[in-house]
Every structure is written in C-alpha cells, then in structure tokens.
Amino acid sequence: MKNKSFYLLLKFAAVAWLAPNFLMAQGTHTTVVIGTGTSSSSYPAFLPYNNHSTTEMIYTAAEIGTAGMIDTLWFYSDATASLACTSLRIYMGTTASSTFASSSDWYGVDDVDLVYDAATTIGGAVGWFAVALQTPYYYPGNDNLVVVVTKTAANYNLSSKWRYTSTSSVGYRTLYRGSDGSSSHGDLSTLTATTSGTRTYDRPNVKFSINTVIPDCFRPINLAAELTYTGASISWTGCDDAFGYEICYGTTDQLSSYIASAET
C-alpha cells in the first residue's frame, strides 16, 4: 500500500487579517538605550569568561517606555577581543517581576520565545554589538521584558569585555551560570526548579530597536505539534487581538482546513 505523508500547516495569521507577522506597516523605529555605566567585565550578557553559559536579564516597562516590535538589540563591547560561538541563542518574554527572587529563579524554555539562533562571532570591536533578530518580538509594553542569552563555544576569552550598569538600588536584575566543561550550561532546556545560578547587580547595557507601528496581526507563540499515525495534536498561545486561526491539514494529495479558536 502506498504511504501518503500527513502534514499540518498552521497559518500564522489572525482570521481578521490573513497576513504573516513580518508583513508590517513601515513605521517609526524608536531606539531605547538602557544602562549608561562604563565599567566592563567578562561576565553577562555573553559570559565570555566561560565556554558555555546562560544569562537572564530583566528590563522594566518603565525603562523601555513603549510597546512595539523589537527587531534588533545591541550590547556594548568594551574591547576588540572576539569569541566564536558554535551556538548563540536569544530568547525574549515578559514578566510581572522586576528582579530575580533567588539564585534559581530562572525563566525556562516554556516561558520565553526564541528570537535568534545561529553560530556567530561576538565582539571584535569597541562599541555597540548588534544582533538582528531572526524573529522580531512583539513587546506589549505593560509588563517587564526578560532577555535570555545562551551560548556554547569551543573556547573562552577573558579579554572580551562588556559594559554594564549596577542595579543595586533596585535589586538583582541579572542571573547567570557558566561552565567550561558542561555544555548543558548553554542549553536553556536543561534548567530545572533547583538549578542554581549567580545573581548580580551588574546588568548589561542594552539598546533596542522597536518598531512602534503595531502590525494588524501576530503569529501565535508556544506553538507545539505532535504527529501520530492517525492524526495530530497541536497547541499554541494566541495573541490578544486574534479571534481565530486557520489550520490546514491532510495528505500530500489534498488539504482541508478549518477555523480554530484563538487560544487552542
């Protein structure tokens, strides 16, 4: 019997406006700079002190000051040294918390969205080091922003320095862990409720490019799918303004579709 491939296509579009999220109106980009400190270290955000690392940072809604699509972020390199990363991943999410309550108060892979994933070299010059997000992130402006940076590298480089600003007056807004021998330290999915890191007041200086013209619709987040021999199970978190999503499914010979709710 000839086998047919079964597949699903979840269109990233609200029914009210069937267009992909990256087709957004040309509008005003606002640049937000948070942190003016001139001290530097080999620790967060990229933690070149270690081969493998995870750093999580909280930037508040009051500091950001606007809603919109974040499409680029920068960290400030204070040295010409560089570090080749076999994997650099950046995640973003929102939180009501303004500080890290403990050394295990991590945001896990289910709490944030992956916005950048590549092998790349960081640093190499003094000044702002830009990361153009592969998936722009919609920041709603009412909660605080969590930025997570994970990396793996074949080496470390103590000469790579990055500027930071102290948050000692308001609390711990940076949490990190690093290791030279354990690659799991650069893998967000390995975090558990008991994984211990180090909190610090030294939060990296950052700059965001934010498109303040809001698109008509957004892709859903936390998309997950599981295929079986007889069907598939899918789930997602819908955006605030969507009332439904179109799901296409079937064999390679014929597709069917139906409208699902915005939530599941």
Side-chain angles (χ1 to χ4, degrees), residues 231-251:
S233 173
I234 62 174
S235 62
W236 66 87
T237 301
C239 66
D240 292 340
D241 297 327
F243 58 83
Y245 291 92
E246 182 180 6
I247 299 174
C248 298
Y249 62 96
T251 67

mmCIF file with all atom_site columns, all heavy atoms in Angstrom, residues 231-251:
data_model
loop_
_atom_site.group_PDB
_atom_site.id
_atom_site.type_symbol
_atom_site.label_atom_id
_atom_site.label_alt_id
_atom_site.label_comp_id
_atom_site.label_asym_id
_atom_site.label_entity_id
_atom_site.label_seq_id
_atom_site.pdbx_PDB_ins_code
_atom_site.Cartn_x
_atom_site.Cartn_y
_atom_site.Cartn_z
_atom_site.occupancy
_atom_site.B_iso_or_equiv
_atom_site.pdbx_formal_charge
_atom_site.auth_seq_id
_atom_site.auth_comp_id
_atom_site.auth_asym_id
_atom_site.auth_atom_id
_atom_site.pdbx_PDB_model_num
ATOM 1   N N   . GLY A 1 231 ? -3.385  11.066 13.215 1.00 0.00 ? 231 GLY A N   1
ATOM 2   C CA  . GLY A 1 231 ? -3.725  12.484 13.292 1.00 0.00 ? 231 GLY A CA  1
ATOM 3   C C   . GLY A 1 231 ? -2.609  13.298 13.918 1.00 0.00 ? 231 GLY A C   1
ATOM 4   O O   . GLY A 1 231 ? -1.432  12.929 13.837 1.00 0.00 ? 231 GLY A O   1
ATOM 5   N N   . ALA A 1 232 ? -2.987  14.375 14.560 1.00 0.00 ? 232 ALA A N   1
ATOM 6   C CA  . ALA A 1 232 ? -2.010  15.251 15.172 1.00 0.00 ? 232 ALA A CA  1
ATOM 7   C C   . ALA A 1 232 ? -2.654  16.048 16.284 1.00 0.00 ? 232 ALA A C   1
ATOM 8   O O   . ALA A 1 232 ? -3.859  16.325 16.270 1.00 0.00 ? 232 ALA A O   1
ATOM 9   C CB  . ALA A 1 232 ? -1.405  16.190 14.133 1.00 0.00 ? 232 ALA A CB  1
ATOM 10  N N   . SER A 1 233 ? -1.844  16.404 17.248 1.00 0.00 ? 233 SER A N   1
ATOM 11  C CA  . SER A 1 233 ? -2.286  17.261 18.332 1.00 0.00 ? 233 SER A CA  1
ATOM 12  C C   . SER A 1 233 ? -1.448  18.532 18.296 1.00 0.00 ? 233 SER A C   1
ATOM 13  O O   . SER A 1 233 ? -0.219  18.473 18.247 1.00 0.00 ? 233 SER A O   1
ATOM 14  C CB  . SER A 1 233 ? -2.095  16.551 19.681 1.00 0.00 ? 233 SER A CB  1
ATOM 15  O OG  . SER A 1 233 ? -2.375  17.430 20.752 1.00 0.00 ? 233 SER A OG  1
ATOM 16  N N   . ILE A 1 234 ? -2.100  19.676 18.280 1.00 0.00 ? 234 ILE A N   1
ATOM 17  C CA  . ILE A 1 234 ? -1.385  20.937 18.238 1.00 0.00 ? 234 ILE A CA  1
ATOM 18  C C   . ILE A 1 234 ? -1.917  21.872 19.312 1.00 0.00 ? 234 ILE A C   1
ATOM 19  O O   . ILE A 1 234 ? -3.067  21.771 19.730 1.00 0.00 ? 234 ILE A O   1
ATOM 20  C CB  . ILE A 1 234 ? -1.478  21.618 16.864 1.00 0.00 ? 234 ILE A CB  1
ATOM 21  C CG1 . ILE A 1 234 ? -2.931  21.951 16.507 1.00 0.00 ? 234 ILE A CG1 1
ATOM 22  C CG2 . ILE A 1 234 ? -0.826  20.784 15.789 1.00 0.00 ? 234 ILE A CG2 1
ATOM 23  C CD1 . ILE A 1 234 ? -3.063  22.751 15.231 1.00 0.00 ? 234 ILE A CD1 1
ATOM 24  N N   . SER A 1 235 ? -1.039  22.772 19.770 1.00 0.00 ? 235 SER A N   1
ATOM 25  C CA  . SER A 1 235 ? -1.447  23.763 20.763 1.00 0.00 ? 235 SER A CA  1
ATOM 26  C C   . SER A 1 235 ? -0.634  25.019 20.561 1.00 0.00 ? 235 SER A C   1
ATOM 27  O O   . SER A 1 235 ? 0.453   24.995 19.980 1.00 0.00 ? 235 SER A O   1
ATOM 28  C CB  . SER A 1 235 ? -1.247  23.220 22.185 1.00 0.00 ? 235 SER A CB  1
ATOM 29  O OG  . SER A 1 235 ? 0.137   22.951 22.418 1.00 0.00 ? 235 SER A OG  1
ATOM 30  N N   . TRP A 1 236 ? -1.150  26.134 21.028 1.00 0.00 ? 236 TRP A N   1
ATOM 31  C CA  . TRP A 1 236 ? -0.448  27.409 20.915 1.00 0.00 ? 236 TRP A CA  1
ATOM 32  C C   . TRP A 1 236 ? -1.094  28.413 21.859 1.00 0.00 ? 236 TRP A C   1
ATOM 33  O O   . TRP A 1 236 ? -2.169  28.174 22.410 1.00 0.00 ? 236 TRP A O   1
ATOM 34  C CB  . TRP A 1 236 ? -0.487  27.925 19.477 1.00 0.00 ? 236 TRP A CB  1
ATOM 35  C CG  . TRP A 1 236 ? -1.855  28.298 18.977 1.00 0.00 ? 236 TRP A CG  1
ATOM 36  C CD1 . TRP A 1 236 ? -2.486  29.504 19.106 1.00 0.00 ? 236 TRP A CD1 1
ATOM 37  C CD2 . TRP A 1 236 ? -2.767  27.450 18.291 1.00 0.00 ? 236 TRP A CD2 1
ATOM 38  N NE1 . TRP A 1 236 ? -3.734  29.469 18.532 1.00 0.00 ? 236 TRP A NE1 1
ATOM 39  C CE2 . TRP A 1 236 ? -3.935  28.215 18.030 1.00 0.00 ? 236 TRP A CE2 1
ATOM 40  C CE3 . TRP A 1 236 ? -2.721  26.121 17.865 1.00 0.00 ? 236 TRP A CE3 1
ATOM 41  C CZ2 . TRP A 1 236 ? -5.026  27.680 17.365 1.00 0.00 ? 236 TRP A CZ2 1
ATOM 42  C CZ3 . TRP A 1 236 ? -3.808  25.595 17.210 1.00 0.00 ? 236 TRP A CZ3 1
ATOM 43  C CH2 . TRP A 1 236 ? -4.948  26.367 16.959 1.00 0.00 ? 236 TRP A CH2 1
ATOM 44  N N   . THR A 1 237 ? -0.439  29.525 22.023 1.00 0.00 ? 237 THR A N   1
ATOM 45  C CA  . THR A 1 237 ? -0.984  30.652 22.767 1.00 0.00 ? 237 THR A CA  1
ATOM 46  C C   . THR A 1 237 ? -1.303  31.757 21.772 1.00 0.00 ? 237 THR A C   1
ATOM 47  O O   . THR A 1 237 ? -0.410  32.220 21.057 1.00 0.00 ? 237 THR A O   1
ATOM 48  C CB  . THR A 1 237 ? 0.009   31.173 23.818 1.00 0.00 ? 237 THR A CB  1
ATOM 49  O OG1 . THR A 1 237 ? 0.323   30.113 24.735 1.00 0.00 ? 237 THR A OG1 1
ATOM 50  C CG2 . THR A 1 237 ? -0.597  32.350 24.595 1.00 0.00 ? 237 THR A CG2 1
ATOM 51  N N   . GLY A 1 238 ? -2.550  32.157 21.711 1.00 0.00 ? 238 GLY A N   1
ATOM 52  C CA  . GLY A 1 238 ? -2.955  33.160 20.746 1.00 0.00 ? 238 GLY A CA  1
ATOM 53  C C   . GLY A 1 238 ? -2.601  34.560 21.182 1.00 0.00 ? 238 GLY A C   1
ATOM 54  O O   . GLY A 1 238 ? -2.387  34.834 22.367 1.00 0.00 ? 238 GLY A O   1
ATOM 55  N N   . CYS A 1 239 ? -2.502  35.476 20.227 1.00 0.00 ? 239 CYS A N   1
ATOM 56  C CA  . CYS A 1 239 ? -2.249  36.874 20.544 1.00 0.00 ? 239 CYS A CA  1
ATOM 57  C C   . CYS A 1 239 ? -3.546  37.536 21.012 1.00 0.00 ? 239 CYS A C   1
ATOM 58  O O   . CYS A 1 239 ? -4.642  37.012 20.813 1.00 0.00 ? 239 CYS A O   1
ATOM 59  C CB  . CYS A 1 239 ? -1.662  37.611 19.347 1.00 0.00 ? 239 CYS A CB  1
ATOM 60  S SG  . CYS A 1 239 ? -2.779  37.752 17.946 1.00 0.00 ? 239 CYS A SG  1
ATOM 61  N N   . ASP A 1 240 ? -3.419  38.684 21.642 1.00 0.00 ? 240 ASP A N   1
ATOM 62  C CA  . ASP A 1 240 ? -4.554  39.324 22.299 1.00 0.00 ? 240 ASP A CA  1
ATOM 63  C C   . ASP A 1 240 ? -5.693  39.675 21.335 1.00 0.00 ? 240 ASP A C   1
ATOM 64  O O   . ASP A 1 240 ? -6.861  39.589 21.688 1.00 0.00 ? 240 ASP A O   1
ATOM 65  C CB  . ASP A 1 240 ? -4.102  40.598 23.018 1.00 0.00 ? 240 ASP A CB  1
ATOM 66  C CG  . ASP A 1 240 ? -3.201  40.286 24.208 1.00 0.00 ? 240 ASP A CG  1
ATOM 67  O OD1 . ASP A 1 240 ? -3.250  39.141 24.685 1.00 0.00 ? 240 ASP A OD1 1
ATOM 68  O OD2 . ASP A 1 240 ? -2.461  41.180 24.649 1.00 0.00 ? 240 ASP A OD2 1
ATOM 69  N N   . ASP A 1 241 ? -5.366  40.092 20.118 1.00 0.00 ? 241 ASP A N   1
ATOM 70  C CA  . ASP A 1 241 ? -6.382  40.604 19.211 1.00 0.00 ? 241 ASP A CA  1
ATOM 71  C C   . ASP A 1 241 ? -6.963  39.569 18.259 1.00 0.00 ? 241 ASP A C   1
ATOM 72  O O   . ASP A 1 241 ? -7.891  39.869 17.512 1.00 0.00 ? 241 ASP A O   1
ATOM 73  C CB  . ASP A 1 241 ? -5.805  41.761 18.386 1.00 0.00 ? 241 ASP A CB  1
ATOM 74  C CG  . ASP A 1 241 ? -5.411  42.937 19.256 1.00 0.00 ? 241 ASP A CG  1
ATOM 75  O OD1 . ASP A 1 241 ? -6.094  43.140 20.282 1.00 0.00 ? 241 ASP A OD1 1
ATOM 76  O OD2 . ASP A 1 241 ? -4.443  43.631 18.928 1.00 0.00 ? 241 ASP A OD2 1
ATOM 77  N N   . ALA A 1 242 ? -6.435  38.365 18.260 1.00 0.00 ? 242 ALA A N   1
ATOM 78  C CA  . ALA A 1 242 ? -6.918  37.346 17.329 1.00 0.00 ? 242 ALA A CA  1
ATOM 79  C C   . ALA A 1 242 ? -8.144  36.640 17.903 1.00 0.00 ? 242 ALA A C   1
ATOM 80  O O   . ALA A 1 242 ? -8.222  36.367 19.092 1.00 0.00 ? 242 ALA A O   1
ATOM 81  C CB  . ALA A 1 242 ? -5.826  36.332 17.044 1.00 0.00 ? 242 ALA A CB  1
ATOM 82  N N   . PHE A 1 243 ? -9.135  36.332 17.047 1.00 0.00 ? 243 PHE A N   1
ATOM 83  C CA  . PHE A 1 243 ? -10.275 35.548 17.493 1.00 0.00 ? 243 PHE A CA  1
ATOM 84  C C   . PHE A 1 243 ? -10.291 34.178 16.843 1.00 0.00 ? 243 PHE A C   1
ATOM 85  O O   . PHE A 1 243 ? -11.182 33.380 17.095 1.00 0.00 ? 243 PHE A O   1
ATOM 86  C CB  . PHE A 1 243 ? -11.590 36.290 17.219 1.00 0.00 ? 243 PHE A CB  1
ATOM 87  C CG  . PHE A 1 243 ? -11.817 36.642 15.779 1.00 0.00 ? 243 PHE A CG  1
ATOM 88  C CD1 . PHE A 1 243 ? -12.334 35.719 14.890 1.00 0.00 ? 243 PHE A CD1 1
ATOM 89  C CD2 . PHE A 1 243 ? -11.487 37.908 15.308 1.00 0.00 ? 243 PHE A CD2 1
ATOM 90  C CE1 . PHE A 1 243 ? -12.555 36.047 13.570 1.00 0.00 ? 243 PHE A CE1 1
ATOM 91  C CE2 . PHE A 1 243 ? -11.713 38.245 13.981 1.00 0.00 ? 243 PHE A CE2 1
ATOM 92  C CZ  . PHE A 1 243 ? -12.234 37.323 13.105 1.00 0.00 ? 243 PHE A CZ  1
ATOM 93  N N   . GLY A 1 244 ? -9.312  33.858 16.007 1.00 0.00 ? 244 GLY A N   1
ATOM 94  C CA  . GLY A 1 244 ? -9.236  32.532 15.425 1.00 0.00 ? 244 GLY A CA  1
ATOM 95  C C   . GLY A 1 244 ? -8.026  32.385 14.525 1.00 0.00 ? 244 GLY A C   1
ATOM 96  O O   . GLY A 1 244 ? -7.411  33.367 14.113 1.00 0.00 ? 244 GLY A O   1
ATOM 97  N N   . TYR A 1 245 ? -7.660  31.149 14.227 1.00 0.00 ? 245 TYR A N   1
ATOM 98  C CA  . TYR A 1 245 ? -6.552  30.828 13.323 1.00 0.00 ? 245 TYR A CA  1
ATOM 99  C C   . TYR A 1 245 ? -7.011  29.764 12.339 1.00 0.00 ? 245 TYR A C   1
ATOM 100 O O   . TYR A 1 245 ? -7.819  28.890 12.677 1.00 0.00 ? 245 TYR A O   1
ATOM 101 C CB  . TYR A 1 245 ? -5.328  30.316 14.092 1.00 0.00 ? 245 TYR A CB  1
ATOM 102 C CG  . TYR A 1 245 ? -4.660  31.377 14.923 1.00 0.00 ? 245 TYR A CG  1
ATOM 103 C CD1 . TYR A 1 245 ? -5.016  31.575 16.240 1.00 0.00 ? 245 TYR A CD1 1
ATOM 104 C CD2 . TYR A 1 245 ? -3.680  32.206 14.377 1.00 0.00 ? 245 TYR A CD2 1
ATOM 105 C CE1 . TYR A 1 245 ? -4.416  32.565 17.007 1.00 0.00 ? 245 TYR A CE1 1
ATOM 106 C CE2 . TYR A 1 245 ? -3.073  33.195 15.128 1.00 0.00 ? 245 TYR A CE2 1
ATOM 107 C CZ  . TYR A 1 245 ? -3.450  33.370 16.440 1.00 0.00 ? 245 TYR A CZ  1
ATOM 108 O OH  . TYR A 1 245 ? -2.859  34.353 17.191 1.00 0.00 ? 245 TYR A OH  1
ATOM 109 N N   . GLU A 1 246 ? -6.499  29.830 11.126 1.00 0.00 ? 246 GLU A N   1
ATOM 110 C CA  . GLU A 1 246 ? -6.827  28.835 10.113 1.00 0.00 ? 246 GLU A CA  1
ATOM 111 C C   . GLU A 1 246 ? -5.788  27.731 10.145 1.00 0.00 ? 246 GLU A C   1
ATOM 112 O O   . GLU A 1 246 ? -4.587  27.981 10.038 1.00 0.00 ? 246 GLU A O   1
ATOM 113 C CB  . GLU A 1 246 ? -6.861  29.470 8.723  1.00 0.00 ? 246 GLU A CB  1
ATOM 114 C CG  . GLU A 1 246 ? -7.250  28.457 7.645  1.00 0.00 ? 246 GLU A CG  1
ATOM 115 C CD  . GLU A 1 246 ? -7.298  29.079 6.260  1.00 0.00 ? 246 GLU A CD  1
ATOM 116 O OE1 . GLU A 1 246 ? -6.921  30.260 6.142  1.00 0.00 ? 246 GLU A OE1 1
ATOM 117 O OE2 . GLU A 1 246 ? -7.698  28.388 5.316  1.00 0.00 ? 246 GLU A OE2 1
ATOM 118 N N   . ILE A 1 247 ? -6.254  26.513 10.299 1.00 0.00 ? 247 ILE A N   1
ATOM 119 C CA  . ILE A 1 247 ? -5.380  25.340 10.340 1.00 0.00 ? 247 ILE A CA  1
ATOM 120 C C   . ILE A 1 247 ? -5.625  24.516 9.080  1.00 0.00 ? 247 ILE A C   1
ATOM 121 O O   . ILE A 1 247 ? -6.771  24.167 8.765  1.00 0.00 ? 247 ILE A O   1
ATOM 122 C CB  . ILE A 1 247 ? -5.659  24.474 11.574 1.00 0.00 ? 247 ILE A CB  1
ATOM 123 C CG1 . ILE A 1 247 ? -5.410  25.293 12.855 1.00 0.00 ? 247 ILE A CG1 1
ATOM 124 C CG2 . ILE A 1 247 ? -4.784  23.224 11.571 1.00 0.00 ? 247 ILE A CG2 1
ATOM 125 C CD1 . ILE A 1 247 ? -5.809  24.559 14.097 1.00 0.00 ? 247 ILE A CD1 1
ATOM 126 N N   . CYS A 1 248 ? -4.565  24.216 8.355  1.00 0.00 ? 248 CYS A N   1
ATOM 127 C CA  . CYS A 1 248 ? -4.654  23.364 7.168  1.00 0.00 ? 248 CYS A CA  1
ATOM 128 C C   . CYS A 1 248 ? -4.047  22.008 7.491  1.00 0.00 ? 248 CYS A C   1
ATOM 129 O O   . CYS A 1 248 ? -2.987  21.928 8.108  1.00 0.00 ? 248 CYS A O   1
ATOM 130 C CB  . CYS A 1 248 ? -3.918  24.001 5.986  1.00 0.00 ? 248 CYS A CB  1
ATOM 131 S SG  . CYS A 1 248 ? -4.606  25.596 5.472  1.00 0.00 ? 248 CYS A SG  1
ATOM 132 N N   . TYR A 1 249 ? -4.704  20.936 7.069  1.00 0.00 ? 249 TYR A N   1
ATOM 133 C CA  . TYR A 1 249 ? -4.230  19.603 7.394  1.00 0.00 ? 249 TYR A CA  1
ATOM 134 C C   . TYR A 1 249 ? -4.633  18.641 6.287  1.00 0.00 ? 249 TYR A C   1
ATOM 135 O O   . TYR A 1 249 ? -5.508  18.935 5.477  1.00 0.00 ? 249 TYR A O   1
ATOM 136 C CB  . TYR A 1 249 ? -4.821  19.134 8.731  1.00 0.00 ? 249 TYR A CB  1
ATOM 137 C CG  . TYR A 1 249 ? -6.332  19.020 8.713  1.00 0.00 ? 249 TYR A CG  1
ATOM 138 C CD1 . TYR A 1 249 ? -6.945  17.798 8.465  1.00 0.00 ? 249 TYR A CD1 1
ATOM 139 C CD2 . TYR A 1 249 ? -7.123  20.135 8.919  1.00 0.00 ? 249 TYR A CD2 1
ATOM 140 C CE1 . TYR A 1 249 ? -8.319  17.695 8.424  1.00 0.00 ? 249 TYR A CE1 1
ATOM 141 C CE2 . TYR A 1 249 ? -8.506  20.049 8.877  1.00 0.00 ? 249 TYR A CE2 1
ATOM 142 C CZ  . TYR A 1 249 ? -9.104  18.825 8.634  1.00 0.00 ? 249 TYR A CZ  1
ATOM 143 O OH  . TYR A 1 249 ? -10.465 18.729 8.596  1.00 0.00 ? 249 TYR A OH  1
ATOM 144 N N   . GLY A 1 250 ? -3.990  17.478 6.257  1.00 0.00 ? 250 GLY A N   1
ATOM 145 C CA  . GLY A 1 250 ? -4.359  16.469 5.282  1.00 0.00 ? 250 GLY A CA  1
ATOM 146 C C   . GLY A 1 250 ? -3.151  15.729 4.744  1.00 0.00 ? 250 GLY A C   1
ATOM 147 O O   . GLY A 1 250 ? -2.086  15.719 5.348  1.00 0.00 ? 250 GLY A O   1
ATOM 148 N N   . THR A 1 251 ? -3.314  15.106 3.582  1.00 0.00 ? 251 THR A N   1
ATOM 149 C CA  . THR A 1 251 ? -2.236  14.378 2.931  1.00 0.00 ? 251 THR A CA  1
ATOM 150 C C   . THR A 1 251 ? -1.586  15.267 1.888  1.00 0.00 ? 251 THR A C   1
ATOM 151 O O   . THR A 1 251 ? -2.029  16.384 1.631  1.00 0.00 ? 251 THR A O   1
ATOM 152 C CB  . THR A 1 251 ? -2.780  13.109 2.258  1.00 0.00 ? 251 THR A CB  1
ATOM 153 O OG1 . THR A 1 251 ? -3.619  13.486 1.173  1.00 0.00 ? 251 THR A OG1 1
ATOM 154 C CG2 . THR A 1 251 ? -3.552  12.254 3.251  1.00 0.00 ? 251 THR A CG2 1
#
